[in-house]
PDB file of all heavy atoms in Angstrom:
ATOM      1  N   TRP A 846      -4.332   8.547   0.894  1.00 98.00           N
ATOM      2  CA  TRP A 846      -3.779   7.297   1.439  1.00 98.00           C
ATOM      3  C   TRP A 846      -4.538   6.102   0.937  1.00 98.00           C
ATOM      4  O   TRP A 846      -3.931   5.028   0.705  1.00 98.00           O
ATOM      5  CB  TRP A 846      -3.742   7.363   2.955  1.00 98.00           C
ATOM      6  CG  TRP A 846      -2.679   8.259   3.505  1.00 98.00           C
ATOM      7  CD1 TRP A 846      -2.773   9.604   3.730  1.00 98.00           C
ATOM      8  CD2 TRP A 846      -1.347   7.889   3.878  1.00 98.00           C
ATOM      9  NE1 TRP A 846      -1.599  10.095   4.226  1.00 98.00           N
ATOM     10  CE2 TRP A 846      -0.714   9.051   4.314  1.00 98.00           C
ATOM     11  CE3 TRP A 846      -0.669   6.705   3.873  1.00 98.00           C
ATOM     12  CZ2 TRP A 846       0.601   9.062   4.762  1.00 98.00           C
ATOM     13  CZ3 TRP A 846       0.663   6.687   4.318  1.00 98.00           C
ATOM     14  CH2 TRP A 846       1.274   7.863   4.778  1.00 98.00           C
ATOM     15  N   ARG A 847      -5.836   6.233   0.753  1.00 98.00           N
ATOM     16  CA  ARG A 847      -6.584   5.145   0.110  1.00 98.00           C
ATOM     17  C   ARG A 847      -6.022   4.875  -1.269  1.00 98.00           C
ATOM     18  O   ARG A 847      -5.841   3.706  -1.680  1.00 98.00           O
ATOM     19  CB  ARG A 847      -8.075   5.520  -0.030  1.00 98.00           C
ATOM     20  CG  ARG A 847      -8.926   5.441   1.226  1.00 98.00           C
ATOM     21  CD  ARG A 847     -10.355   5.789   0.840  1.00 98.00           C
ATOM     22  NE  ARG A 847     -11.225   5.832   2.011  1.00 98.00           N
ATOM     23  CZ  ARG A 847     -12.540   6.104   1.953  1.00 98.00           C
ATOM     24  NH1 ARG A 847     -13.107   6.368   0.798  1.00 98.00           N
ATOM     25  NH2 ARG A 847     -13.276   6.105   3.068  1.00 98.00           N
ATOM     26  N   ALA A 848      -5.790   5.932  -2.029  1.00 97.00           N
ATOM     27  CA  ALA A 848      -5.397   5.779  -3.433  1.00 97.00           C
ATOM     28  C   ALA A 848      -4.097   5.060  -3.606  1.00 97.00           C
ATOM     29  O   ALA A 848      -3.893   4.345  -4.604  1.00 97.00           O
ATOM     30  CB  ALA A 848      -5.337   7.151  -4.090  1.00 97.00           C
ATOM     31  N   ARG A 849      -3.178   5.200  -2.655  1.00 97.00           N
ATOM     32  CA  ARG A 849      -1.882   4.532  -2.784  1.00 97.00           C
ATOM     33  C   ARG A 849      -1.936   3.063  -2.386  1.00 97.00           C
ATOM     34  O   ARG A 849      -0.992   2.312  -2.688  1.00 97.00           O
ATOM     35  CB  ARG A 849      -0.820   5.257  -1.936  1.00 97.00           C
ATOM     36  CG  ARG A 849      -1.056   5.184  -0.439  1.00 97.00           C
ATOM     37  CD  ARG A 849       0.167   5.735   0.331  1.00 97.00           C
ATOM     38  NE  ARG A 849       1.259   4.816   0.343  1.00 97.00           N
ATOM     39  CZ  ARG A 849       2.512   5.123   0.742  1.00 97.00           C
ATOM     40  NH1 ARG A 849       2.747   6.364   1.151  1.00 97.00           N
ATOM     41  NH2 ARG A 849       3.468   4.212   0.735  1.00 97.00           N
ATOM     42  N   SER A 850      -2.972   2.622  -1.737  1.00 97.00           N
ATOM     43  CA  SER A 850      -3.054   1.242  -1.286  1.00 97.00           C
ATOM     44  C   SER A 850      -3.482   0.312  -2.428  1.00 97.00           C
ATOM     45  O   SER A 850      -4.069   0.762  -3.424  1.00 97.00           O
ATOM     46  CB  SER A 850      -4.064   1.121  -0.137  1.00 97.00           C
ATOM     47  OG  SER A 850      -5.355   1.372  -0.547  1.00 97.00           O
ATOM     48  N   CYS A 851      -3.192  -0.974  -2.245  1.00 97.00           N
ATOM     49  CA  CYS A 851      -3.663  -1.991  -3.200  1.00 97.00           C
ATOM     50  C   CYS A 851      -5.110  -2.368  -2.885  1.00 97.00           C
ATOM     51  O   CYS A 851      -5.883  -2.679  -3.796  1.00 97.00           O
ATOM     52  CB  CYS A 851      -2.816  -3.231  -3.131  1.00 97.00           C
ATOM     53  SG  CYS A 851      -1.089  -2.978  -3.605  1.00 97.00           S
ATOM     54  N   ALA A 852      -5.465  -2.370  -1.586  1.00 98.00           N
ATOM     55  CA  ALA A 852      -6.798  -2.779  -1.164  1.00 98.00           C
ATOM     56  C   ALA A 852      -7.223  -2.023   0.077  1.00 98.00           C
ATOM     57  O   ALA A 852      -6.373  -1.697   0.911  1.00 98.00           O
ATOM     58  CB  ALA A 852      -6.826  -4.287  -0.937  1.00 98.00           C
ATOM     59  N   LEU A 853      -8.527  -1.811   0.197  1.00 98.00           N
ATOM     60  CA  LEU A 853      -9.145  -1.238   1.414  1.00 98.00           C
ATOM     61  C   LEU A 853      -9.855  -2.395   2.137  1.00 98.00           C
ATOM     62  O   LEU A 853     -10.499  -3.236   1.523  1.00 98.00           O
ATOM     63  CB  LEU A 853     -10.176  -0.162   1.056  1.00 98.00           C
ATOM     64  CG  LEU A 853      -9.752   0.944   0.113  1.00 98.00           C
ATOM     65  CD1 LEU A 853     -10.906   1.925  -0.067  1.00 98.00           C
ATOM     66  CD2 LEU A 853      -8.550   1.657   0.652  1.00 98.00           C
ATOM     67  N   LEU A 854      -9.721  -2.400   3.439  1.00 98.00           N
ATOM     68  CA  LEU A 854     -10.323  -3.441   4.287  1.00 98.00           C
ATOM     69  C   LEU A 854     -11.324  -2.823   5.229  1.00 98.00           C
ATOM     70  O   LEU A 854     -11.001  -1.834   5.916  1.00 98.00           O
ATOM     71  CB  LEU A 854      -9.276  -4.182   5.071  1.00 98.00           C
ATOM     72  CG  LEU A 854      -9.771  -5.217   6.110  1.00 98.00           C
ATOM     73  CD1 LEU A 854     -10.366  -6.423   5.383  1.00 98.00           C
ATOM     74  CD2 LEU A 854      -8.693  -5.642   7.061  1.00 98.00           C
ATOM     75  N   THR A 855     -12.490  -3.404   5.326  1.00 98.00           N
ATOM     76  CA  THR A 855     -13.475  -2.983   6.314  1.00 98.00           C
ATOM     77  C   THR A 855     -14.228  -4.236   6.809  1.00 98.00           C
ATOM     78  O   THR A 855     -14.024  -5.336   6.317  1.00 98.00           O
ATOM     79  CB  THR A 855     -14.461  -1.949   5.720  1.00 98.00           C
ATOM     80  OG1 THR A 855     -15.167  -1.307   6.798  1.00 98.00           O
ATOM     81  CG2 THR A 855     -15.491  -2.608   4.769  1.00 98.00           C
ATOM     82  N   GLY A 856     -15.101  -4.007   7.817  1.00 97.00           N
ATOM     83  CA  GLY A 856     -15.864  -5.094   8.365  1.00 97.00           C
ATOM     84  C   GLY A 856     -17.326  -4.970   8.038  1.00 97.00           C
ATOM     85  O   GLY A 856     -17.843  -3.921   7.591  1.00 97.00           O
ATOM     86  N   ILE A 857     -18.059  -6.054   8.203  1.00 97.00           N
ATOM     87  CA  ILE A 857     -19.477  -6.065   7.863  1.00 97.00           C
ATOM     88  C   ILE A 857     -20.281  -5.066   8.735  1.00 97.00           C
ATOM     89  O   ILE A 857     -21.262  -4.508   8.280  1.00 97.00           O
ATOM     90  CB  ILE A 857     -20.077  -7.509   8.017  1.00 97.00           C
ATOM     91  CG1 ILE A 857     -21.512  -7.552   7.556  1.00 97.00           C
ATOM     92  CG2 ILE A 857     -19.909  -8.027   9.422  1.00 97.00           C
ATOM     93  CD1 ILE A 857     -21.752  -7.077   6.150  1.00 97.00           C
TER      94      ILE A 857
END
Side-chain angles (χ1 to χ4, degrees):
W846 285 87
R847 283 183 184 180
R849 66 172 284 168
S850 67
C851 297
L853 309 181
L854 174 71
T855 196
I857 185 58

